[in-house]
Amino acid sequence: MGVTGEQIGPARSRERFLVGESVESGVRSPILNSWLRCRLLELSPDQTELPYRDDFDPDSRLVRAAGPVLDQLQSRFSGSKMNISVADANGTVLQRRFGEPALARALPAIQTVPGFVFAERFAGTNGIGLALAERRPIQVYGAEHFAERAQASACCAVPIHDQLSGRIVGVLCFGYPHAYERPALAVLARRAAETIERRLTEQSSARERGLLRTYLDAERRARTGGAGGTAQDGHHIGPTVPAGSAELDELADLELDPHDQSILKDKATELISAFRRAAVEVALPHGREATLLSRPVTSRSGVAGMVVEAVLSSDTAPVHHVSVSPRAGPSPEGQPPTEPRPGTAEPRPGTVRGLVLVGEPEVGKYAIEARRRLELLAEASTRIGTTLDVSRTAWELAEMAVPRLADYVTVDLPAAVLRGDEPIDPGNDLQRTVVHGIRDDCPFYPSGQPVQFHPGTPLLRCLTSGHAVLEPDLKSAPGWIAQSPERARRVFAYGVHSLIAVPLLARGVLLGIASFYRSQDPAPFGDDDSRLAQELAARAALCIDNARRYTREHTLALALQRSLLPRGMPEQGAVEVAHRYLPAESGVGGDWFDVIPLSGTRVALLVGDVVGHGLHAAATMGRLRTAARNFAELELSPDELLTHLDNLLVRLDREEGDDDATGSNGIVGATCLYAIYDPTSRQCTMARAGHLPPAVVHPDGTVSFPDLPAGPPLGLGGLPFETAEIELPRDSTLILYTDGLVEDRHRDIDVALDQLRHALAHADRSPEDTCQAVMDAMAPEHPSDDIALLVARTHTVPTDRIATWDLPADPSRVSDIRAAATRQLAHWGLEEHAFAAELLLSELVTNAIRYGTEPIQVRLVHDRTLICEVSDGSSTAPHMRRATNTDEGGRGLFLVAQLAQSWGTRYTPRGKVIWAECALDAA
């Protein structure tokens, strides 16, 4: 957007901003952020006076490195109205060049004379100040300048870095009329800044070459007895680069591999950065040792540095170390030596000496810091993202950064990310997720609290731009202070002085913001710190996004599974039931349970476990549970029901395996335990498909695990299941559970079953209390598998509420049964239901006599409902049909269906039972 001056665009937007209107749209974020900072600094657009400094060094390293580059740029722009300037890291202009020399006489002093300070806090929005504030290349188009005096010109500015330290040491800026704007100018400015950076590095290399030349000359004089010679200056040495190969030949004779040399160079770098004489023993692999000797050296040009040599034994025997007293500083009395003294600390016979490194202390510090940063990043790759938990991953980022990068770290994430959703507007609904630092009482916003960042704050600038924001001096960051002046003063009281705000970006999605604060180290954060923080944040953001996606899938799977599990227990009188379901922490599985009322006061209890985790397992569980309920409605025996479930799972596996579009690897299988309890006989019929056996708590408190045939898991197909029948004592408790309760990596299953036995050994507990006691004793703190627990206290139907009659296949006996039933109902106080019961029994007994075979039996059960049952020895099932007006029969079952609440047929080993239930209003 290069529109300026009287035109619409930045000029119109700037005017709207100055009168207090909202201009969030249509203005580039760096410019808007700068305008906000200018307002907070109470700068005036018509301000023209800038600070002037006359104490800058006109022959500094930056000026010497930039001089030839500025000369080339001036020649390139000869005859144009281009203004080329170089400023230092404080915004003070050090050099100016003009394409048209006459401009230097026509322009005001602040645009022509070196020494004026163009930092943003003085000059407002401008190229030099904004490049330093944003710490990246910047372009300002005409009316985007905050000051009135700069409205007619545009500029592009590029920070200049020291390639060794990574710090910004200056800014290269092009100023020109807005009509000159070309995309190529920004590219040219970046290339020119890179050239200046290389020249700065070459100056450092020349200083180190001077140190090496001094060392080599001294060595040559020592070996030749003082004879002169010409130094070989072809050896280029860097902060961690070994000396020339001629000086390492003696070390190579000892077969030092690259790993050994790396150890010596790392230690030598530390000695150089310490800048003192020392003799340090270094252990090498394979039992070898070396002694590193560090000595100060000063080149002919006056550059002070350190030389480090290694002394090693010439064989595998222990080395004879040279005794050298450590001495701080370059020389006694603070006088720098002009050359090393090779006669000092001469190695003894049987040892060999060689040069390892030579360099300046500051360069050595940068090398050590670079190595530590690499080590931090390597460690971060293993310590960040150890779990699929969003909050825990944010904590790991903070724990990794404190105290090695920052003294305090805060992480703010949108509530949507914490839920597993993708954030719509990351700047809103932020939650303070992590506050971590060297002290627990630093007054940052506490974790768990919503945070809202004001316009102009570094954190909101970071969120809106998607770029890291470095504030070296928080006390001069008005936007950060304006967020909460009182809290800012309290934070400053803890020594906090520097900030890096880094966006958490992963796969193009902004997930939040991480803020790094420094207090202990008096030096402010620099660009190298910012790059390290961004690298850490990038790794953490990817792990947070993975955790977010997993959280979303986990939440969906959990919601699906909970929707497929029973919402409540059905009404029935056979058992008193309590249950628990605990999902796995790492992934929802396919565990389920169910309670299904059956005819004749019986009840079916069911638990199962689908192999695997996630949505697929939960969906498969839902299919199996629905199928199990349908098969149970058919009054199938436990072994038959498991056979049908097995066939269903095989069919599902085959269908999904043939469908490549599903991406499924097929259903591995499932386990299941199915039990039917009859309160009239206290008989419990069970079958299991690869599932753990149930537990039975007897009335005296003893606990047993019935020995049931195991059966194959569901999904194998073609294998039989066996049924076992046991009699449960009155008021006993049946416990069904899945393997997550007793199986995990940290305990043996026999030990876990013994723990379960002890937890259950209390017959006086209610099912609800039993559930709680078992979960407290057995459930792990971080379950790796789902846990389903079903506790059923058995009840019985009193014998005086059951009436049974046997009768022959004689139609004349139907009236006798009606009369006997009427008397029994009167005894139970159910006279008002006698008429309906007589009709039901009449039809059912007549059908049994006419179409069934002996033995025929009639049973009445007074429970929650009145149950009428007629059994016979035939396996032929009756079917209700619609009779026509001319049919003499076919209306009996229709009449039964109208009179009964429900009716049906179940098969027994000896035939079938036709039953009907009548509702009892008084029950």
Side-chain angles (χ1 to χ4, degrees):
M1 184 174 69
V3 192
T4 59
E6 298 291 333
Q7 300 169 300
I8 62 171
R12 179 69 59 82
S13 297
R14 179 176 171 278
E15 293 303 321
R16 290 175 54 203
F17 174 83
L18 291 176
V19 297
E21 295 184 20
S22 176
V23 290
E24 281 75 6
S25 59
V27 179
R28 295 182 296 132
S29 60
I31 302 300
L32 182 58
N33 290 334
S34 181
W35 288 355
L36 289 170
R37 292 194 296 270
C38 292
R39 172 186 284 171
L40 292 170
L41 289 167
E42 299 182 350
L43 295 180
S44 172
D46 57 1
Q47 178 178 343
T48 57
E49 294 185 3
L50 297 180
Y52 177 77
R53 296 180 54 187
D54 57 5
D55 58 347
F56 66 91
D57 185 0
D59 191 34
S60 65
R61 291 180 59 214
L62 178 59
V63 172
R64 293 198 305 272
V69 179
L70 296 179
D71 291 341
Q72 294 180 17
L73 291 173
Q74 182 178 21
S75 175
R76 178 165 186 162
F77 292 117
S78 177
S80 70
K81 294 185 178 181
M82 184 67 68
N83 181 343
I84 310 159
S85 59
V86 169
D88 64 15
N90 297 315
T92 304
V93 174
L94 306 178
Q95 286 276 303
R96 282 194 182 275
R97 303 292 173 84
F98 299 92
E100 185 177 320
L103 287 174
R105 296 186 296 273
L107 293 175
I110 60 172
Q111 296 182 7
T112 57
V113 179
F116 284 97
V117 182
F118 280 80
E120 187 183 64
R121 65 180 181 275
F122 302 120
T125 307
N126 70 94
I128 293 174
L130 192 51
L132 290 173
E134 295 288 329
R135 311 187 76 83
R136 57 193 175 101
I138 285 295
Q139 291 178 274
V140 182
Y141 306 119
E144 291 181 331
H145 287 87
F146 192 75
E148 297 286 357
R149 54 177 164 72
Q151 297 298 296
S153 63
C155 62
C156 63
V158 181
I160 300 171
H161 296 82
D162 185 328
Q163 294 182 342
L164 290 177
S165 67
R167 303 182 188 279
I168 292 179
V169 294
V171 176
L172 174 66
C173 183
F174 291 173
Y176 42 86
H178 61 80
Y180 279 27
E181 175 61 40
R182 300 290 185 275
L185 287 177
V187 177
L188 179 61
R190 284 196 295 270
R191 290 178 178 174
E194 291 170 359
T195 303
I196 296 173
E197 291 173 353
R198 286 197 299 271
R199 291 181 57 81
L200 283 169
T201 304
E202 289 171 359
Q203 289 182 13
S204 298
S205 299
R207 293 157 67 94
E208 291 190 347
R209 284 198 300 269
L211 291 172
L212 177 60
R213 185 182 300 111
T214 301
Y215 169 79
L216 295 177
D217 289 346
E219 286 292 294
R220 186 173 294 106
R221 285 195 296 271
R223 294 177 182 178
T224 59
T230 303
Q232 299 178 3
D233 57 357
H235 301 89
H236 175 78
I237 220 168
T240 58
V241 178
S245 58
E247 274 58 53
L248 282 180
D249 285 343
E250 293 177 291
L251 300 183
D253 292 339
L254 295 177
E255 300 180 355
L256 286 178
D257 57 28
H259 181 58
D260 294 336
Q261 295 185 30
S262 176
I263 294 174
L264 293 177
K265 287 188 291 183
D266 287 346
K267 189 62 180 178
T269 303
E270 295 179 9
L271 293 174
I272 291 174
S273 64
F275 197 48
R276 69 188 186 95
R277 293 177 180 271
V280 179
E281 295 183 1
V282 179
L284 299 175
H286 311 297
R288 306 187 67 180
E289 293 182 343
T291 299
L292 290 181
L293 306 175
S294 63
R295 296 180 295 168
V297 59
T298 303
S299 68
R300 292 186 180 90
S301 60
V303 176
M306 296 293 292
V307 59
V308 180
E309 298 172 315
V311 179
L312 300 95
S313 76
S314 57
D315 51 28
T316 58
V319 66
H320 299 284
H321 300 295
V322 181
S323 177
V324 179
S325 299
R327 185 179 354 174
S331 67
E333 306 299 330
Q335 297 178 2
T338 57
E339 62 180 35
R341 292 169 291 177
T344 305
E346 191 66 29
R348 299 179 181 179
T351 62
V352 65
R353 177 171 61 90
L355 176 64
V356 179
L357 282 181
V358 60
E360 296 181 82
E362 286 300 316
V363 177
K365 291 178 181 178
Y366 298 148
I368 291 175
E369 191 63 28
R371 186 177 74 243
R372 289 174 179 169
R373 294 175 191 278
L374 290 175
E375 292 172 351
L376 178 62
L377 290 176
E379 187 177 348
S381 64
T382 61
R383 289 184 53 188
I384 297 178
T386 59
T387 67
L388 288 172
D389 181 83
V390 173
S391 297
R392 179 58 199 163
T393 303
W395 265 106
E396 289 169 345
L397 167 62
E399 291 170 341
M400 196 72 244
V402 175
R404 296 161 70 177
L405 171 62
D407 297 309
Y408 298 95
V409 173
T410 64
V411 180
D412 304 305
L413 302 176
V417 172
L418 297 172
R419 294 193 304 266
D421 298 328
E422 186 168 310
I424 299 176
D425 183 5
N428 292 323
D429 198 24
L430 281 174
Q431 301 282 334
R432 176 57 51 87
T433 308
V434 174
V435 179
H436 181 58
I438 57 176
R439 293 179 58 172
D440 296 331
D441 57 348
C442 194
F444 293 104
Y445 290 117
S447 59
Q449 177 177 325
V451 291
Q452 182 73 38
F453 299 123
H454 295 175
T457 60
L459 298 101
L460 188 60
R461 286 157 46 203
C462 171
L463 286 170
T464 54
S465 67
H467 298 289
V469 173
L470 170 60
E471 287 288 356
D473 184 7
L474 280 176
K475 291 185 177 180
S476 63
W480 188 82
I481 297 174
Q483 172 80 20
S484 176
E486 176 58 30
R487 189 177 295 274
R489 283 192 292 271
R490 291 159 56 195
V491 171
F492 290 147
Y494 281 75
V496 176
H497 59 80
S498 191
L499 162 69
I500 303 173
V502 184
L504 296 172
L505 282 165
R507 302 181 178 97
V509 178
L510 183 59
L511 302 172
I513 183 172
S515 304
F516 303 82
Y517 295 88
R518 176 171 285 179
S519 64
Q520 295 287 91
D521 189 344
F525 281 128
D527 287 281
D528 48 351
D529 300 305
S530 179
R531 282 190 288 270
L532 178 59
Q534 291 176 61
E535 184 66 28
L536 287 175
R539 300 186 184 200
L542 189 60
C543 295
I544 288 174
D545 192 49
N546 291 338
R548 177 191 67 81
R549 292 166 182 259
Y550 168 79
T551 300
R552 177 174 176 78
E553 180 178 344
H554 180 79
T555 303
L556 290 175
L558 185 60
L560 173 62
Q561 186 176 48
R562 290 194 181 279
S563 70
L564 297 173
L565 290 172
R567 298 290 182 88
M569 293 294 100
E571 291 187 5
Q572 46 80 37
V575 291
E576 179 186 353
V577 178
H579 59 86
R580 291 290 187 276
Y581 170 73
L582 181 64
E585 188 176 74
S586 59
V588 176
D591 291 20
W592 87 95
F593 62 91
D594 212 343
V595 178
I596 308 171
L598 301 177
S599 64
T601 71
R602 298 171 309 138
V603 65
L605 305 173
L606 175 70
V607 292
D609 181 7
V610 175
V611 176
H613 292 84
L615 288 171
H616 187 254
T620 303
M621 176 275 288
R623 289 177 169 183
L624 286 178
R625 177 173 175 259
T626 301
R629 293 189 69 89
N630 292 334
F631 294 145
E633 292 288 339
L634 297 176
E635 302 281 0
L636 299 178
S637 63
D639 57 331
E640 289 179 307
L641 182 138
L642 292 181
T643 299
H644 283 286
L645 289 180
D646 183 46
N647 293 335
L648 172 65
L649 203 55
V650 170
R651 187 163 56 253
L652 290 175
D653 195 11
R654 185 183 306 117
E655 291 173 357
E656 296 193 4
D658 294 339
D659 186 5
D660 295 334
T662 64
S664 170
N665 293 324
I667 302 169
V668 177
T671 65
C672 184
L673 171 62
Y674 185 71
I676 298 176
Y677 173 68
D678 187 347
T680 64
S681 63
R682 293 188 283 110
Q683 295 294 318
C684 186
T685 307
M686 294 180 281
R688 61 186 179 121
H691 203 85
L692 292 167
V696 177
V697 181
H698 297 265
D700 61 358
T702 59
V703 180
S704 64
F705 295 92
D707 186 15
L708 304 181
L714 301 177
L716 297 181
L719 297 176
F721 300 94
E722 299 181 55
T723 298
E725 188 172 288
I726 61 174
E727 183 176 329
L728 295 178
R730 187 186 306 271
D731 294 327
S732 58
T733 303
L734 186 65
I735 296 93
L736 286 69
Y737 52 91
T738 55
D739 58 359
L741 185 69
V742 295
E743 291 183 0
D744 60 41
R745 298 189 302 269
H746 307 294
R747 57 182 173 178
D748 184 81
I749 186 171
D750 292 330
V751 175
L753 289 174
D754 191 54
Q755 292 176 342
L756 178 60
R757 186 191 306 274
H758 287 293
L760 292 173
H762 297 274
D764 56 340
R765 286 180 179 152
S766 68
E768 187 67 31
D769 292 339
T770 300
C771 269
Q772 191 60 48
V774 169
M775 296 300 289
D776 291 343
M778 303 294 298
E781 184 178 355
H782 303 286
S784 58
D785 195 6
D786 288 15
I787 296 175
L789 175 65
L790 185 63
V791 177
R793 170 73 62 81
T794 62
H795 296 164
T796 59
V797 178
T799 56
D800 61 354
R801 288 202 167 201
I802 303 174
T804 305
W805 299 277
D806 294 319
L807 72 156
D810 183 359
S812 63
R813 300 293 301 274
V814 175
S815 59
D816 297 337
I817 291 297
R818 288 201 302 266
T822 301
R823 290 192 297 271
Q824 185 64 53
L825 292 176
H827 175 70
W828 287 339
L830 301 177
E831 293 90 346
E832 68 271 22
H833 299 284
F835 178 74
E838 282 188 55
L839 286 178
L840 286 174
L841 287 175
S842 224
E843 293 299 331
L844 295 179
V845 171
T846 300
N847 275 339
I849 293 174
R850 180 177 297 180
Y851 302 109
T853 60
E854 294 183 345
I856 300 174
Q857 186 180 75
V858 176
R859 186 172 76 158
L860 290 180
V861 180
H862 179 199
D863 193 47
R864 293 174 176 269
T865 60
L866 177 63
I867 303 171
C868 304
E869 295 182 347
V870 177
S871 62
D872 66 76
S874 171
S875 59
T876 302
H879 297 282
M880 185 172 62
R881 63 185 178 87
R882 182 178 297 276
T884 64
N885 293 333
T886 59
D887 289 339
E888 295 183 0
R891 296 177 178 83
L893 289 180
F894 180 78
L895 182 61
V896 169
Q898 298 303 308
L899 293 174
Q901 176 179 276
S902 60
W903 74 279
T905 303
R906 70 173 181 268
Y907 294 94
T908 68
R910 296 183 301 274
K912 68 177 181 294
V913 177
I914 303 176
W915 56 270
E917 291 186 6
C918 295
L920 300 177
D921 296 337

